[in-house]
Each structure stands twice: as structure tokens, then as C-alpha cells.
């Protein structure tokens, strides 16, 4: 069992930055693929970024070099640095953990989810 807790969300103006954190319980953090998803009101949850246990990193196309995912296995924490935020980035951001070997951008590939943290970008 893995328990995930996100933090770092908030209200920011267009062009601003936020750094999200996701702290995980358990001793097998380093073996999991860790990802970020987001869900805007009235929309489906969508993939944002992923960091595999072997170090592979992928981003959704809409990130366009603005976001950076990183992980610190010693601290059981994954981060999402978000720069140049736009109003369309407004959403609840979720951290997810799952084993490797699955499709990285689908919600069904992940066994554990955090409660989410709200990110609001004002225009």
C-alpha cells in the first residue's frame, strides 16, 4: 500500500510558477512509476508528466517545456515544477503511483492516487 499526499497548489497569476510536491509512504517508492495528472471542472482527468523507476521521463504535449518532473527517492517525494502558467492550467493536480510496464498516460495504469491539490491561474 502506498499513501500519497500532494501539496504546493494555490492561486497564481498568468506567467507565474508553482512547485507541487507529492510525498509517498512506504519503502518501495523507488520501484514505482510516479506521475502527475490533472482534472479541470467538467473535463476528464488527463496525463501531465511521468517519471519511471529507471529515470525515464515523459510529458504531455501541452507542457511544451514549461513543466519539469523530478523525484527524490531518498525523500520518497516527486515534484512538478510549473512555470509560465496559463489560465488553462487551472485544475486539480493529482499524484499517482503504479508499476512499470503499463501505458503511462492512462489513469488505469496506476494503483494509488493522492487527494489532489488545487492550482488556479488568474488572468
Amino acid at each position: 500500500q502506498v499513501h500519497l499526499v500532494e501539496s504546493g497548489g494555490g492561486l497564481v497569476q498568468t506567467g507565474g510558477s508553482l512547485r507541487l510536491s507529492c510525498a509517498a509512504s512506504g519503502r518501495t517508492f523507488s520501484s514505482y512509476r510516479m506521475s502527475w495528472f490533472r482534472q479541470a471542472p467538467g473535463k476528464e482527468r488527463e496525463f501531465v508528466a511521468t517519471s519511471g523507476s529507471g529515470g525515464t521521463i515523459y510529458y504531455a504535449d501541452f507542457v511544451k517545456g514549461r513543466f519539469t518532473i523530478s523525484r527524490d527517492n531518498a525523500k520518497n517525494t516527486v515534484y512538478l515544477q510549473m512555470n509560465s502558467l496559463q489560465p488553462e492550467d487551472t485544475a486539480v493536480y493529482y499524484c499517482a503511483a503504479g508499476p512499470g510496464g503499463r501505458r503511462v498516460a492512462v489513469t488505469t495504469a496506476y494503483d494509488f492516487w493522492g487527494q489532489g491539490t488545487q492550482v488556479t491561474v488568474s488572468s
Side-chain angles (χ1 to χ4, degrees), residues 9-92:
L11 174 64
V12 64
Q13 292 185 335
T14 297
S17 299
L18 284 174
R19 188 194 194 202
L20 306 184
S21 299
C22 172
S25 64
R27 293 175 290 179
T28 58
F29 175 83
S30 61
S31 68
Y32 281 98
R33 170 172 298 284
M34 299 299 299
S35 298
W36 289 94
F37 285 73
R38 70 184 187 183
Q39 188 166 18
K43 295 187 177 181
E44 294 186 351
R45 194 168 298 189
E46 64 177 352
F47 169 76
V48 176
T50 188
S51 174
S53 60
T56 56
I57 290 176
Y58 299 105
Y59 296 99
D61 289 342
F62 64 76
V63 169
K64 297 178 183 177
R66 301 181 297 132
F67 296 178
T68 302
I69 188 171
S70 61
R71 64 193 294 166
D72 186 336
N73 289 334
K75 295 182 178 180
N76 280 12
T77 302
V78 62
Y79 305 95
L80 185 68
Q81 176 66 45
M82 304 187 295
N83 300 326
S84 301
L85 284 163
Q86 303 298 313
E88 53 265 34
D89 294 317
T90 295
V92 178

